[in-house]
Amino acid sequence: MAEISFDADRRGWVLSGESSTYALRLDEDDVPTHVFWGPKLTAAEVRELDTETRPWWDGFNDPDEGIGELAADGGTRYWTPALQVRFGDGTRALEWRYQDHEITGPHLEIRFADRHYPLRVSLHYRLRGDVVERWTELSADTDVEVVRADSATWALPVSDDYRLSHVTGRWAAETQLRRVSAPHGETVFASRRGITGHHANPWVMVDDGTATERHGEVYGVALAWSGSWRLTTTRASTGRLTVSGGFGQDGVTHRVGPGRPLRTPVMAGLYTRGGFGAASRAWHAYVREHVLPHPGELRPVLYNSWEATGFDVTEAGQRALAERAAALGVELFVMDDGWFGARTGDHAGLGDWHVNRERFPDGLKPLVATVHGLGMRFGIWVEPEMVNPDSDLYRAHPDRVLHHPHRRRSELRNQLVLNFARADVAAWAHEWLDRLVGEHGVDFLKWDMNRPFSEAGWPGDDDPDRLWTEHTDAVYALMDRLRADHPGLRIEACAGGGGRLDLGVLARADQVWTSDNTDTLDRLRIQHGFGQLYPARAMSAWVTDNPSFVTARSAPLRFRFHVAMAGVLGVGGDIVHWSDEDLAFAREMIALYRDIRPVVQLGALYRLRPPADDGVTALQYVHEDRVVVFAYRQAAHFNDPARPLRLDGLDPAHRYLDPDSGRTHSGAVLLAHGLPLGLPTGDFSSAVIRLQRKI
């Protein structure tokens, strides 16, 4: 049970999670100082830790540097700052003065003020099992410039070595896992794009270089923010490493003053001692139970029309796809781009969110009624934050986009970015989205965002930098308001694929479009990186046509289904032209997925063999008394003999029934020896194996 206690004698706090402990204290100068983060300790045991401030041993190296709970700039503190302020007279240094604290259940707030200037700082901690959520609030009675305001500084135990795990990528190649030794000095992972970004993701895991999938201590931190962000790891010669993170970027400042407080986004931290696998399972449980809007809800099998129709959208064509999708067992039909304005390509119409009457003479209601009549929910694609210069909206309101008065407005995908920090733009977006959802019975929005910021100016505003955070805040507020007004509405976040993936958007979106790349071999790696932090319950994965439009590679339909079934299954091919044989197989696979869906979407993930250049990769989900194993042979070389696959997470004292073969297996044997896979020979062979624990 999570508990927070206060030690008045030592002016310290102990946050006790289910299997871990986090502790901090005030030093002699009231500076909030890190004490411990790691395996479970009692409050009495924390008191035994050496927390004395050590004197300087020379004029250059402070032995206590790197243990600030929110490393503030100023004085002789030279560590990477998490908080930098500039007062009206030019003073930069912050001097902490403790005010008081409040513990409310699993929430701790510690309040400080500057010793001279009217600036107040509150540090917040909230326990969610073994996850510690942290954020910072700033307020002031006079205007203060905030150069940097991170959510937290995380101090790790002193170690001989540190290794960083993180993901990198680009469009159509997101979430590629990397593990590297932590360099000395500062290493920055960041996005300056106004969105989370394809090239990196706001989380990092740290170990001592010896952790494996099953063994070793792992520390992880993740930021809940969908705009520009920054994580900085700092490794010193003294043998300490910290991670500091928050929203913002170099050169962009915040202003705090009367009526203008600043609250940073949540940054979550997690310690586990069971290797990277245990870390991922703990993160997945946290996201499902405390982040996603409907934690126990199963995501439906969807069909998306984009790859079948592109911009060539007609009512008759969508009806034909819907009828075929319903016959396959699809539960949610999503019409993609091309239904509105003059939208016959990506060059025009974006921003004119009214139904194209040439394509839908009687509006959308007849199509929605057809989809509902077929027993499916209806979804639709929108891109609220963008506008084409060739649109009625832009011609009427060219000032509504991000721009500088004497600079060219850079276009990407023939688009400009609307300034959602403006109240009139946010109100306009809510009006048409509320009407679209309410008047048509829309059940699902695919919310896209297909380009990053550029020329991010706001002419005429006295604080133009605020658009960098307030744009994201406005998107959050709009999603929250739509969901509150339409409780049945569900949302998929998308930004050219996986460009908006983080804990912040997952608090408003039910799932994320993982990548525009549906090539199966690439997806194995993309999904492997995605699953390091985020659960399968949020990972959209489609079966599309051969060849892949990204790689021009073809794979068997069976393999394509099996790869997509490891997440939230969708179909995105031109099913009107599929053969009867392929349609029959698709029905079989969708029925299988609907059977195993609770295990995949709610179960614990075990990565049995990670993706490699060839050979077999495998993963396993366990939920209650059911197990699902996915195995994929990417390429076969030299007639390598098949070997059994050792499973994980089973009860060795029980037996497990394979309902498809009728065989039963000892849990102990599956753990110690393995499961015969029986994969067909050759490349692109795969299997989905169901096991049921016998009681």
Side-chain angles (χ1 to χ4, degrees), residues 520-525 527-528 536 539 541 555-567 569 589 593 596 600 605-621 628-636 643 645 677-689:
T520 51
L521 296 191
D522 289 351
R523 265 303 179 110
L524 287 175
R525 289 152 181 77
Q527 293 175 186
H528 179 69
M539 184 176 70
L557 187 59
R558 176 187 181 90
F559 198 86
R560 282 177 275 153
F561 261 104
H562 285 174
V563 170
M565 288 163 65
L569 177 63
M589 289 294 99
Y593 179 77
I596 65 174
V600 173
L605 169 65
Y606 294 86
R607 293 181 289 261
L608 305 178
R609 292 181 190 166
D613 292 336
D614 52 31
V616 173
T617 184
L619 60 153
Q620 168 194 335
Y621 293 97
V628 175
V629 177
F630 294 91
Y632 314 97
R633 178 183 289 123
Q634 302 164 86
R643 55 190 174 97
L645 179 69
L677 292 176
L679 286 176
T681 58
D683 300 344
F684 293 110
S685 60
S686 57
V688 176
I689 301 167

Side-chain angles (χ1 to χ4, degrees), residues 422-544:
R422 288 178 48 152
D424 56 345
V425 175
W428 161 84
H430 175 263
E431 188 278 329
W432 70 260
L433 279 164
D434 182 64
R435 176 167 31 86
L436 174 68
V437 173
E439 291 184 2
H440 298 91
V442 170
D443 305 296
F444 180 92
L445 293 176
K446 181 176 181 179
W447 189 303
D448 212 342
M449 205 280 195
N450 271 316
R451 60 151 295 180
F453 289 7
S454 62
E455 292 83 48
W458 188 349
D461 193 81
D462 66 347
D463 182 15
D465 275 0
R466 66 189 175 97
L467 70 85
W468 286 94
T469 54
E470 291 188 13
H471 180 106
T472 300
D473 285 336
V475 171
Y476 287 168
L478 179 52
M479 288 182 173
D480 291 343
R481 186 176 177 186
L482 287 171
R483 297 187 74 110
D485 292 342
H486 306 280
L489 180 66
R490 301 294 179 262
I491 297 174
E492 178 178 83
C494 176
R500 184 180 266 165
L501 166 63
D502 55 81
L503 298 179
V505 78
L506 283 177
R508 284 99 186 159
D510 302 274
Q511 59 200 63
V512 172
W513 178 225
T514 314
S515 176
D516 285 343
N517 185 354
T518 58
D519 175 280
T520 51
L521 296 191
D522 289 351
R523 265 303 179 110
L524 287 175
R525 289 152 181 77
I526 291 169
Q527 293 175 186
H528 179 69
F530 184 104
Q532 299 296 313
L533 193 94
Y534 306 110
R537 159 72 173 68
M539 184 176 70
S540 293
W542 297 355
V543 177
T544 56

Side-chain angles (χ1 to χ4, degrees), residues 166-457:
H166 64 104
V167 291
T168 63
R170 54 182 168 81
W171 174 79
E174 299 90 333
T175 56
Q176 301 296 295
L177 180 63
R178 301 284 185 265
R179 290 204 166 106
V180 296
S181 178
H184 283 76
E186 296 183 3
T187 301
V188 180
F189 306 95
S191 170
R192 302 182 183 92
R193 303 168 189 240
I195 56 174
T196 323
H198 299 78
H199 65 290
N201 203 257
W203 65 263
V204 66
M205 296 186 195
V206 185
D207 75 292
D208 66 0
T210 66
T212 66
E213 187 68 19
R214 291 182 171 90
H215 305 287
E217 294 184 305
V218 177
Y219 294 81
V221 296
L223 183 68
W225 184 247
S226 307
S228 292
W229 56 273
R230 170 178 48 202
L231 298 184
T232 305
T233 67
T234 305
R235 182 176 181 181
S237 58
T238 56
R240 180 172 298 282
L241 182 138
T242 65
V243 185
S244 185
F247 58 12
Q249 63 194 69
D250 293 343
V252 173
T253 62
H254 314 275
R255 292 188 189 175
V256 176
R260 298 177 69 173
L262 180 68
R263 173 174 170 154
T264 70
V266 166
M267 192 178 190
L270 171 69
Y271 163 83
T272 50
R273 60 192 312 173
F276 296 111
S280 293
R281 288 186 289 277
W283 279 116
H284 296 170
Y286 165 72
V287 174
R288 284 194 305 264
E289 295 167 16
H290 300 291
V291 178
L292 288 168
H294 301 279
E297 185 176 278
L298 296 175
R299 304 309 310 136
V301 178
L302 69 79
Y303 176 82
N304 182 284
S305 66
W306 172 250
E307 291 200 21
T309 62
F311 293 105
D312 188 17
V313 174
T314 65
E315 183 173 345
Q318 296 296 306
R319 284 179 185 271
L321 289 169
E323 290 168 357
R324 188 60 61 89
L328 295 179
V330 166
E331 300 158 306
L332 167 63
F333 178 85
V334 182
M335 179 170 64
D336 213 281
D337 203 346
W339 58 269
F340 57 93
R343 191 70 170 168
T344 58
D346 67 2
H347 61 282
L350 199 59
D352 299 336
W353 298 102
H354 52 82
V355 179
N356 184 317
R357 291 288 175 156
E358 293 183 5
R359 297 181 167 194
F360 298 90
D362 299 315
L364 294 181
K365 290 182 180 180
L367 176 62
V368 176
T370 295
V371 170
H372 286 163
L374 290 167
M376 298 184 293
R377 285 176 264 182
F378 180 81
I380 197 165
W381 178 94
V382 293
E383 194 172 3
E385 300 155 77
M386 297 294 144
V387 64
N388 288 131
D390 185 3
S391 66
D392 293 339
L393 176 67
Y394 185 76
R395 284 184 281 271
H397 301 286
D399 60 314
R400 289 187 175 181
V401 301
L402 304 181
H403 70 284
H404 293 296
H406 306 295
R407 293 292 181 265
R408 177 174 60 91
R409 302 182 183 193
S410 300
E411 296 179 23
L412 295 173
R413 294 172 57 96
N414 304 305
Q415 297 175 194
L416 298 170
V417 183
L418 291 167
N419 183 358
F420 262 50
R422 288 178 48 152
D424 56 345
V425 175
W428 161 84
H430 175 263
E431 188 278 329
W432 70 260
L433 279 164
D434 182 64
R435 176 167 31 86
L436 174 68
V437 173
E439 291 184 2
H440 298 91
V442 170
D443 305 296
F444 180 92
L445 293 176
K446 181 176 181 179
W447 189 303
D448 212 342
M449 205 280 195
N450 271 316
R451 60 151 295 180
F453 289 7
S454 62
E455 292 83 48

